[in-house]
C-alpha cells in the first residue's frame, strides 16, 4: 500500500471514529487539515447517511472546497440528500450546471443574490466555451490609478479574488493592459499604473471553445488569461489550473468518442441509454463490414482453389487496421492540440506516407517470407504486395478521414475510428483477393 493510500485509510478511520461519537481532537485536526481531494475521497467511501452527517460538520468555506472534488455521481446523490439550505451557499457554477434544471433553479434561488447572479450570467454562455469556464474573480484597477492605489486595492480584494496579475481597464471597463505583480511591487508608489502596464494583453473572447483556450494558454505560457466580451470588456479570467482540468476532460472525451461512445455513460446513463448511444456507430460499422462479406462471397471460387488465402486474410486485416487506427489517433489528437492544421494538411499526410511505407515494407517482408515457406514464391508475392498496399492505404485513410471530417464540420473523434477500421477491412480484402484472382494460375 502506498503512502497516499495509507494516509487516506487513516483519514477514513478518523472520520468513522468521529461519526461514532468520538471526541479525539486529533481526529478533528486531521480532517480539518486534509486536502479537499483527500477529504472527498474518504467521503465517497462512506454510506450516504454518514456522508450527510460529515458534510454538515464542515464550514461553508470548507464545504465549498470539498464539493468540486467529488465525482459527479457522489455529488448529485449527496446534494439531493441534503437540505437545500445546506448547499445553497456553497455550490458553485460547475456544480450547479451538473444538476437537473429544476434542482439547479432551487439552489440558485437560495444563493446570495450577488453570487447567484454571477452564476446565472455565466451559465448563459455556451457549454464548453471560455465564458462558461471563466471565473468572474479578478483584480482590476482604472487606468488613472497609481501604483499605491493598485497595491491597496489588491490588499483589499485578494482574499476573495485571484491576484495572478493586475488588469488595467478604462472608464468603460475595456481591457487596456496588465501589470505583473513583481513590476508593481518595485515601482514608485506615485507612478501611474498606465506608465508600467503591458499593452499587448493576451485575451480570449467568451465564445472561444475551451480547447482553443487551452492552446492559447500553452502557446503563451500563461498563468492566467483574461476573458473579454464582444465589446472588449474584461469579464473574467481562466487560470492554468482550469486549463489542466479541461485538457484531461477533452482527452478522455476524445478517447471515448473514438470508440463510438461517451464518457458520461460511466456515470449517469442506464444500460438502455448506453446501448442506443452506441447503436448508430455499431450499425454503421456493421453495414460496412457486410461489404467485406460480399467481397469474400464474390471471390469464393478463388478461395476454393487456394484455401490457404483464408489463413492470411485476418493477418492483413489486423495489421492494416491497426496502422490505420494509430494514424487516426495521432491526427485526432493533433487536431485537438493544434499540432495538425487543416490549412497544412499535406504535412501530416507526407509524414504518414513515409511512416506507412516503412511499416508496410517490413510487415510485407515478414509475412511474405512465411507465405513462401508455406506455399510458393508467387503466393508470397500476392501476400506481401497485399500487405504493403493495405498498410499504406490504411495509413492514408487514417490520416485523411479525420481531417476531412473536421473540414466538413463533423467531430473527427466520433466519425474517424469506426469508419476507418471498417473501410480498411473492405479495402484490404478486396486488394488481397483481387490480386490472388489475377494470379490464381500461378498460386493454385
Amino acid at each position: 500500500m502506498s503512502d497516499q493510500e495509507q494516509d487516506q485509510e487513516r483519514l477514513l478511520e478518523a472520520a468513522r471514529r468521529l461519526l461514532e461519537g468520538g471526541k479525539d481532537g486529533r481526529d478533528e485536526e486531521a480532517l480539518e487539515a486534509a486536502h479537499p481531494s483527500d477529504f472527498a475521497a474518504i467521503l465517497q467511501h462512506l454510506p450516504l447517511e454518514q456522508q450527510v452527517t460529515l458534510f454538515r460538520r464542515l464550514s461553508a468555506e470548507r464545504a465549498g472546497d470539498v464539493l468540486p472534488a467529488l465525482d459527479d455521481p457522489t455529488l448529485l446523490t449527496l446534494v439531493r440528500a441534503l437540505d437545500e439550505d445546506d448547499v445553497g451557499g456553497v455550490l458553485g457554477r460547475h456544480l450547479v450546471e451538473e444538476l437537473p434544471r429544476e434542482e439547479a433553479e432551487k439552489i440558485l434561488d437560495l444563493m446570495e443574490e450577488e453570487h447567484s447572479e454571477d452564476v446565472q450570467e455565466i451559465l448563459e454562455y455556451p457549454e464548453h466555451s471560455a465564458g462558461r469556464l471563466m471565473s468572474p474573480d479578478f483584480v482590476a484597477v482604472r487606468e488613472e490609478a497609481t501604483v499605491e492605489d493598485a497595491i491597496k486595492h489588491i490588499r483589499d480584494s485578494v482574499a476573495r479574488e485571484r491576484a495572478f496579475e493586475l488588469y488595467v481597464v478604462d472608464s468603460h471597463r475595456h481591457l487596456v493592459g496588465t501589470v505583473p505583480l513583481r513590476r508593481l511591487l518595485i515601482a514608485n508608489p506615485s507612478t501611474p499604473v498606465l506608465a508600467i502596464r503591458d499593452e499587448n494583453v493576451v485575451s480570449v473572447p467568451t465564445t472561444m471553445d475551451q480547447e482553443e483556450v487551452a492552446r492559447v494558454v500553452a502557446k503563451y505560457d500563461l498563468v492566467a488569461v483574461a476573458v473579454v466580451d464582444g465589446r472588449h470588456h474584461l469579464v473574467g479570467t481562466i487560470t492554468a489550473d482550469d486549463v489542466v482540468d479541461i485538457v484531461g476532460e477533452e482527452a478522455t472525451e476524445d478517447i471515448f468518442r473514438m470508440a463510438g461512445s461517451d464518457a458520461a455513460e460511466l456515470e449517469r446513463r442506464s444500460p438502455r441509454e448506453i446501448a442506443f448511444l452506441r447503436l448508430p456507430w455499431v450499425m454503421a460499422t456493421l453495414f460496412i463490414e457486410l461489404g467485406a462479406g460480399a467481397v469474400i462471397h464474390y471471390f469464393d471460387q478463388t478461395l476454393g482453389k487456394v484455401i490457404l488465402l483464408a489463413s492470411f486474410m485476418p493477418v492483413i486485416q489486423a495489421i492494416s487496421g491497426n496502422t490505420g487506427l494509430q494514424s487516426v489517433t495521432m491526427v485526432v489528437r493533433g487536431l485537438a492540440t493544434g499540432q495538425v492544421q487543416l490549412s497544412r494538411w499535406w504535412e501530416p499526410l507526407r509524414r504518414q506516407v513515409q511512416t506507412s511505407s516503412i511499416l508496410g515494407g517490413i510487415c510485407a517482408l515478414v509475412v511474405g517470407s512465411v507465405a513462401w515457406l508455406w506455399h510458393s514464391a508467387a503466393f508470397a508475392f500476392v501476400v506481401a504486395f497485399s500487405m504493403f498496399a493495405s498498410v499504406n492505404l490504411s495509413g492514408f485513410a487514417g490520416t485523411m478521414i479525420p481531417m476531412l471530417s473536421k473540414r466538413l464540420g463533423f467531430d473527427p473523434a466520433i466519425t474517424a475510428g469506426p469508419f476507418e477500421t471498417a473501410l480498411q477491412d473492405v479495402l484490404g480484402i478486396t486488394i488481397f483477393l483481387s490480386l490472388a484472382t489475377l494470379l490464381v494460375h500461378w498460386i493454385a
Side-chain angles (χ1 to χ4, degrees), residues 78-99:
L78 179 60
V79 167
R80 286 165 177 159
L82 290 163
D83 293 335
E84 291 166 353
D85 292 333
D86 292 328
V87 294
V90 298
L91 279 179
R93 174 193 78 249
H94 170 71
L95 305 177
V96 170
E97 66 184 357
E98 293 291 336
L99 297 173

Side-chain angles (χ1 to χ4, degrees), residues 149-344:
D149 296 332
I151 292 175
K152 182 178 184 303
H153 180 63
I154 291 174
R155 286 173 178 163
D156 292 340
S157 59
V158 76
R160 64 180 185 277
E161 296 170 349
R162 303 183 288 184
F164 293 110
E165 216 164 9
L166 178 71
Y167 295 97
V168 183
V169 296
D170 63 17
S171 57
H172 299 289
R173 292 193 302 113
H174 297 125
L175 179 62
V176 296
T178 62
V179 181
L181 296 186
R182 179 180 177 278
R183 186 183 302 172
L184 188 73
L185 292 174
I186 63 177
N188 188 300
S190 60
T191 303
V193 293
L194 204 60
I196 60 172
R197 65 169 175 161
D198 285 333
E199 293 183 59
N200 298 320
V201 188
V202 178
S203 62
V204 298
T206 55
T207 54
M208 179 179 283
D209 185 84
Q210 61 187 19
E211 284 192 71
E212 186 62 31
V213 173
R215 285 196 281 270
V216 169
V217 171
K219 179 179 179 180
Y220 295 101
D221 196 21
L222 302 174
V223 176
V225 62
V227 182
V228 295
D229 62 16
R231 293 175 291 179
H232 206 66
H233 293 154
L234 178 63
V235 293
T237 59
I238 297 173
T239 68
D241 288 344
D242 299 325
V243 169
V244 168
D245 293 337
I246 292 304
V247 169
E249 290 174 10
E250 294 291 346
T252 301
E253 186 178 84
D254 285 349
I255 291 169
F256 274 93
R257 284 180 172 176
M258 285 178 67
S261 188
D262 186 338
E265 74 174 49
L266 292 178
E267 299 173 349
R268 296 187 292 274
R269 297 188 188 276
S270 68
R272 180 176 178 275
E273 290 173 324
I274 293 171
F276 280 100
L277 177 71
R278 296 180 181 179
L279 187 60
W281 310 110
V282 172
M283 294 304 295
T285 305
L286 172 62
F287 283 112
I288 296 176
E289 291 288 2
L290 285 174
V295 171
I296 294 172
H297 177 66
Y298 181 78
F299 291 104
D300 58 356
Q301 290 185 356
T302 302
L303 285 170
K305 292 177 181 178
V306 190
I307 193 63
L308 189 57
L309 290 168
S311 299
F312 287 90
M313 282 169 50
V315 178
I316 293 173
Q317 286 178 286
I319 299 302
S320 58
N322 183 262
T323 302
L325 195 55
Q326 288 176 341
S327 302
V328 166
T329 302
M330 297 300 293
V331 174
V332 168
R333 195 67 198 131
L335 288 169
T337 60
Q339 293 173 309
V340 173
Q341 301 288 337
L342 292 180
S343 59
R344 302 181 65 83

